[in-house]
Amino acid sequence: MFKTGKAAGQAGRPRRRLAALTATLAVGALALTACAESQRDAAPEGGGSDVDSTFVFAASSDPQSLDPAFASDGESFRVSRQIFEGLVGVKEGTADPEPLLAESWEQSEDGLTYDFTLKEGVKFHDGTDFNAEAVCANFDRWYNFTGIQQAESVGYYYNSLFKGYADSPENAVYESCSVTSDNEVQVKLAKPFAGFIAALSLPAFAMQSPTAMEEYGADEISGTAEAPVLSEYAQGHPVGTGPFKFDSWETGSSIRLSAFEDYWGEQGQVQEIIFRVIDDPTSRRQSLEAGDIDGYDLVAPADTAALEEAGFKIEARDPFTILYLGINHEVEELAKPEVRQAIAHAIDKEALVSQTLPEGTEVATQFVPESVNGHTDDVTKYEYDPEKAKQLLADAGYPDGFTVQFNYPTGVSRPYMPTPEQVFSNLSAQLKEVGITVDAQPNKWSPDYLDRIQGGSDHGLHLLGWTGDYNDTDNFVGVFFGGEKPEFGFDNPELFAKIAEARTIPDVEEQTPLYEEINQDISEFVPAIPLAHPAPSLAFDPRVESYPTSPVNDEVFNKIVLTE
């Protein structure tokens, strides 16, 4: 259990019961007429409002890490987005980049040099200055990761997007960062990366206090790639420039943040955030109904209509996700293309979507949503055809089928998979129909499941997915298939080379035919099976007048508007 700060010992939020709500209330009027009783403390002095300023949000799991550079999961990033900011942000309601801590930037014609002008007068939560030296300290930190820090299960995003480190400069996209003035930096790349600016909007590349990272040993990670041990910094001392500062983390229970009084921007109404860990979807719904929380993400598909009818506010994100059935090619049976094709034909995606996923979910034919460049109808499609699946298995030498591990997460809901156990059960039954028997391998999401799938080879079929971080094709196909990964266990140099080439083309029109060809190649190779593009939903107490819903989950709570 990690505890720091005075809030660690504070009592939990007193139970707040909703006054009676009638189903006839119009949803749009709810925010104006909500009459929730609250026993919580009034807004702290200086909060700028007399509304209840504590916002309680139900998280589906603990974060993987409070250091976003060593995280890859949504719950970590939901917390880090409140604490940290990057040079680049995301335009509200979209996946498009816009200036944040960098007020502007200029790019050289060859795509290798970027000159950033930084926002002035910004402080880290520890009182130190955000400036050009801090920016270069962060870039150089990532570049100089060594050993376990480079493992996919630890430094996932830098590994995936920047490819190489100081000890492997021949692979590296990043070259150097230099201070040109107190509020100006120049970043040089060794190779063009068309998605560089958009990638900097990721929480993994947020600016962190160099002083705090040194004081609390941010890079002191031990253990193994399969089971990394977090640093003291990542467990309880994250320091950024965001609107909220860290107070405490009680693992399995809650994370507490409070408004940073010296924040450079608008603080908003919310003065305290409590992320309460509730891993069961039913329990999250019941907590909302009881008035114990203000909102939660990943609403179970069966709950949205009933909650809305009862007067709660439902917000749906635009689909910018992919749910897929992962395949470990190091398993003998799964290494055969006929077997992977057979599995694809064995799956009734329409049934899977209608029975287990939220309303608005789209069946997937490829690994990018329709709104992303390179999506094409000219991919190989595998229609639901159990008889063809059986024939392909026979052709591969398995007329009687075979048994394979099927790994799936427990104790979690993801934007692309709100009910993992239901998805597992649905797919298992479909595979059994064609002769594939599954050896169920459930693991708790954090840290066991991710470490097992992303860090080692002890898995077979598995469920995973992705919420796009920014609107760039490489953020989907490049992250999945841009190089060798323990998750999939295959080596396809031709595919890797095509993806590497496409990400260096700065012109979108020139990129498009390359990515269309890549998506076709992926569909023929079947490294994994795209299942659906889910549309995740959030649910809120009626006192939440507005919430900054984002297709890429870039939702900072100082932008929440509350009403009594």
Side-chain angles (χ1 to χ4, degrees):
M1 179 176 294
F2 309 130
K3 291 185 179 181
T4 60
K6 63 182 180 180
Q10 293 176 352
R13 174 195 188 197
R15 180 182 174 112
R16 176 172 53 82
R17 291 191 177 275
L18 291 172
L21 292 169
T22 65
T24 57
L25 285 172
V27 174
L30 287 173
L32 301 176
T33 61
C35 49
E37 292 183 339
S38 176
Q39 299 173 1
R40 292 177 297 183
D41 295 335
E45 188 174 341
S49 173
D50 58 359
V51 301
D52 180 356
S53 62
T54 298
F55 188 79
V56 184
F57 193 91
S60 66
S61 70
D62 278 302
Q64 181 181 349
S65 168
L66 295 177
D67 180 348
F70 293 141
S72 61
D73 64 300
E75 294 299 352
S76 292
F77 290 159
R78 194 194 310 278
V79 175
S80 66
R81 279 186 169 101
Q82 318 307 320
I83 299 172
F84 300 101
E85 297 169 316
L87 297 182
V88 180
V90 177
K91 185 177 180 181
E92 189 169 342
T94 76
D96 302 326
E98 69 173 7
L100 188 52
L101 291 179
E103 290 191 334
S104 63
W105 52 82
E106 293 183 2
Q107 174 186 336
S108 63
E109 289 187 9
D110 62 6
L112 294 176
T113 302
Y114 293 81
D115 292 293
F116 293 92
T117 300
L118 309 178
K119 189 177 293 295
E120 297 185 70
V122 176
K123 294 283 188 181
F124 286 108
H125 300 159
D126 59 4
T128 59
D129 291 331
F130 165 75
N131 53 27
E133 288 187 0
V135 171
C136 286
N138 277 271
F139 272 97
D140 289 341
R141 178 205 182 196
W142 306 326
Y143 184 55
N144 285 283
F145 285 160
T146 59
I148 191 174
Q149 299 163 358
Q150 296 182 7
E152 184 177 335
S153 57
V154 180
Y156 184 85
Y157 276 98
Y158 194 86
N159 190 316
S160 296
L161 297 177
F162 288 91
K163 306 300 182 183
Y165 301 87
D167 61 5
S168 54
E170 67 279 3
N171 300 322
V173 170
Y174 171 80
E175 181 175 293
S176 66
C177 178
S178 57
V179 174
T180 52
S181 76
D182 194 50
N183 71 317
E184 293 177 314
V185 297
Q186 183 176 88
V187 176
K188 290 188 175 182
L189 303 183
K191 303 174 183 178
F193 174 22
F196 175 62
I197 290 296
L200 292 183
S201 68
L202 295 175
F205 306 127
M207 294 292 105
Q208 307 193 51
S209 164
T211 301
M213 288 192 291
E214 182 177 359
E215 180 178 357
Y216 296 105
D219 294 337
E220 295 174 6
I221 295 180
S222 58
T224 65
E226 292 77 12
V229 178
L230 298 176
S231 69
E232 182 182 359
Y233 177 86
Q235 293 180 21
H237 298 280
V239 177
T241 64
F244 299 95
K245 59 185 178 63
F246 174 79
D247 288 334
S248 67
W249 179 11
E250 297 185 42
T251 56
S253 177
S254 65
I255 291 177
R256 289 174 178 263
L257 313 177
S258 58
F260 176 44
E261 60 184 16
D262 292 325
Y263 181 55
W264 61 268
E266 294 183 11
Q267 281 192 334
Q269 290 176 299
V270 175
Q271 296 293 299
E272 182 182 14
I273 301 171
I274 301 174
F275 289 103
R276 184 163 294 160
V277 179
I278 306 175
D279 61 14
D280 178 61
T282 300
S283 297
R284 290 198 293 274
R285 186 201 71 223
Q286 292 171 342
S287 294
L288 181 68
E289 292 170 331
D292 293 335
I293 62 174
D294 288 305
Y296 72 100
D297 201 350
L298 314 177
V299 181
D303 292 339
T304 53
L307 284 170
E308 196 163 23
E309 185 176 337
F312 294 94
K313 189 182 185 80
I314 302 296
E315 292 277 345
R317 294 193 181 94
D318 292 334
F320 203 66
T321 56
I322 178 67
L323 167 64
Y324 61 84
L325 180 66
I327 299 174
N328 182 5
H329 296 225
E330 292 188 359
V331 175
E332 180 180 354
E333 295 88 346
L334 303 179
K336 297 185 176 183
E338 297 90 345
V339 169
R340 301 197 299 273
Q341 294 166 9
I343 293 172
H345 281 297
I347 296 173
D348 185 346
K349 296 180 184 178
E350 296 281 357
L352 177 72
V353 167
S354 65
Q355 295 168 15
T356 71
L357 295 170
E359 184 176 348
T361 294
E362 301 168 357
V363 168
T365 60
Q366 52 210 284
F367 282 85
V368 297
E370 190 172 351
S371 60
V372 174
N373 184 39
H375 185 283
T376 174
D377 289 334
D378 295 329
V379 293
T380 301
K381 300 179 178 68
Y382 299 88
E383 303 297 336
Y384 175 54
D385 190 340
E387 294 306 314
K388 188 168 185 177
K390 292 176 183 178
Q391 183 59 56
L392 284 166
L393 289 175
D395 293 344
Y398 304 106
D400 299 320
F402 58 89
T403 299
V404 65
Q405 284 188 355
F406 192 155
N407 304 78
Y408 65 97
T410 62
V412 73
S413 295
R414 308 304 308 131
Y416 48 79
M417 185 171 52
T419 54
E421 292 88 348
Q422 291 182 19
V423 175
F424 164 76
S425 296
N426 187 288
L427 292 177
S428 297
Q430 294 187 28
L431 293 174
K432 185 177 181 180
E433 289 295 318
V434 301
I436 298 176
T437 302
V438 305
D439 174 13
Q441 295 286 317
N443 284 116
K444 191 168 181 61
W445 174 257
S446 180
D448 301 337
Y449 187 74
L450 287 179
D451 290 345
R452 184 174 183 181
I453 300 303
Q454 296 179 342
S457 59
D458 182 23
H459 57 278
L461 300 174
H462 59 273
L463 292 175
L464 260 182
W466 187 255
T467 298
D469 299 299
Y470 54 91
N471 198 352
D472 184 82
T473 322
D474 186 71
N475 186 237
F476 287 88
V477 298
V479 168
F480 298 139
F481 310 122
E484 293 186 64
K485 299 164 71 73
E487 179 183 348
F488 302 114
F490 70 82
D491 183 17
N492 189 329
E494 183 179 355
L495 177 61
F496 300 159
K498 284 185 176 182
I499 292 175
E501 178 188 1
R503 77 198 305 267
T504 67
I505 306 299
D507 185 82
V508 173
E509 290 186 3
E510 291 182 31
Q511 278 187 331
T512 300
L514 294 176
Y515 278 125
E516 289 176 346
E517 183 178 337
I518 286 167
N519 281 320
Q520 168 61 8
D521 290 347
I522 291 170
S523 69
E524 291 179 357
F525 181 53
V526 198
I529 299 170
L531 299 172
H533 302 294
S537 297
L538 304 100
F540 297 101
D541 186 284
R543 83 186 192 100
V544 179
E545 184 174 304
S546 69
Y547 179 85
T549 308
S550 164
V552 292
N553 294 7
D554 187 55
E555 296 157 357
V556 186
F557 289 3
N558 66 323
K559 296 179 181 179
I560 292 173
V561 177
L562 303 172
T563 184
E564 288 292 338

